[in-house]
Amino acid sequence: MMEKTLIDCVQINPGYPYRGKIKEQPDGEVQVVQIKDINERNQVNWTDISRSMLTGKKAPNLIESDDILFLARGNKNVAISMEGIAEDVVCSPVFFQLKIRDKTKLIPKFLMWQLNQEQTKRYIAEHCGGTVQRNVTKKALEGLVITIPSMEKQAQVVRLVECYEKELETYNKLISNRTQMMTAVSNNIFSGEK
């Protein structure tokens, strides 16, 4: 295992510099990932994502599969794995886009998992600005020390994460089904059905 700063392992790009509110345009040239598109499981909800035109002169850093978005503003600073991207996508300025420099040494989903762990959250809390709302700076993110185990160990962790996500999805479906069942029982009782 070795330790490295995040900047040694990834290229960190800011989100696309939209000024003001991002204007939604159904025929826009790019999809734009915004805070509203992140679900409770820290995944992008692609079904409702907005499209927009690129308003600035700066060429965009298009998001690619295996990139990681890091939510830098607000009190929920999380890393989001970008998978299965089929179109041109950018992210709003509240995110940093992380591109792994060498995928033969670091698995993207492992890095995402590590960035969402308690040790990273403590580091962010100690090194970020903002009193009411956190603002993680690029410099703070660059200095974050990550631990890089063997590729085999990383792959094991990724498999565990994937199993956990599937279990969580199954449990949530069971809870939702049970809630619907209990609502139906309640409705039957209050409507006077036998």
Side-chain angles (χ1 to χ4, degrees):
M1 268 193 252
M2 62 181 145
E3 291 189 341
K4 290 194 169 197
T5 58
L6 190 59
I7 194 60
D8 291 330
C9 303
V10 302
Q11 178 184 341
I12 302 174
N13 298 316
Y16 190 76
Y18 283 98
R19 292 185 182 184
K21 186 171 168 57
I22 296 171
K23 186 177 176 185
E24 188 171 334
Q25 297 170 298
D27 59 342
E29 59 192 310
V30 294
Q31 292 180 315
V32 185
V33 178
Q34 302 174 63
I35 291 178
K36 69 178 182 64
D37 301 312
I38 308 303
N39 66 25
E40 66 280 348
R41 292 178 53 212
N42 298 326
Q43 298 170 330
V44 177
N45 180 7
W46 292 104
T47 56
D48 296 328
I49 197 163
S50 301
R51 299 190 73 82
S52 186
M53 300 301 284
L54 298 172
T55 57
K57 294 177 182 173
K58 182 182 177 200
N61 290 313
L62 294 176
I63 298 168
E64 300 172 352
S65 287
D66 289 340
D67 283 355
I68 296 167
L69 296 187
F70 185 83
L71 182 54
R73 291 196 201 139
N75 294 324
K76 188 181 177 189
N77 308 112
V78 294
I80 300 126
S81 177
M82 303 302 290
E83 298 173 304
I85 293 177
E87 298 187 44
D88 287 346
V89 180
V90 296
C91 58
S92 70
V94 300
F95 294 97
F96 284 114
Q97 175 188 4
L98 312 180
K99 287 187 175 292
I100 293 178
R101 296 182 191 278
D102 186 352
K103 292 178 191 165
T104 65
K105 295 188 173 134
L106 187 58
I107 299 172
K109 202 158 187 176
F110 172 81
L111 177 60
M112 179 212 61
W113 170 81
Q114 191 169 154
L115 292 174
N116 286 327
Q117 297 310 300
E118 202 54 46
Q119 295 86 338
T120 302
K121 291 177 183 177
R122 279 196 300 271
Y123 171 88
I124 294 298
E126 292 170 11
H127 292 86
C128 70
T131 51
V132 176
Q133 185 174 347
R134 281 194 199 128
N135 185 24
V136 181
T137 64
K138 184 177 178 183
K139 184 177 180 182
L141 206 52
E142 289 173 345
L144 172 67
V145 174
I146 60 170
T147 301
I148 305 173
S150 69
M151 290 295 281
E152 181 182 338
K153 186 71 170 176
Q154 289 180 50
Q156 288 174 346
V157 170
V158 168
R159 284 193 296 276
L160 281 173
V161 169
E162 289 169 349
C163 286
Y164 168 77
E165 288 171 349
K166 285 177 184 170
E167 288 172 3
L168 194 59
E169 188 175 335
T170 300
Y171 289 134
N172 285 335
K173 283 179 183 175
L174 287 170
I175 291 168
S176 176
N177 288 344
R178 183 67 59 176
T179 301
Q180 289 174 7
M181 186 178 88
M182 294 309 297
T183 300
V185 168
S186 173
N187 290 340
N188 285 344
I189 288 173
F190 285 108
S191 68
E193 290 183 26
K194 292 182 181 180

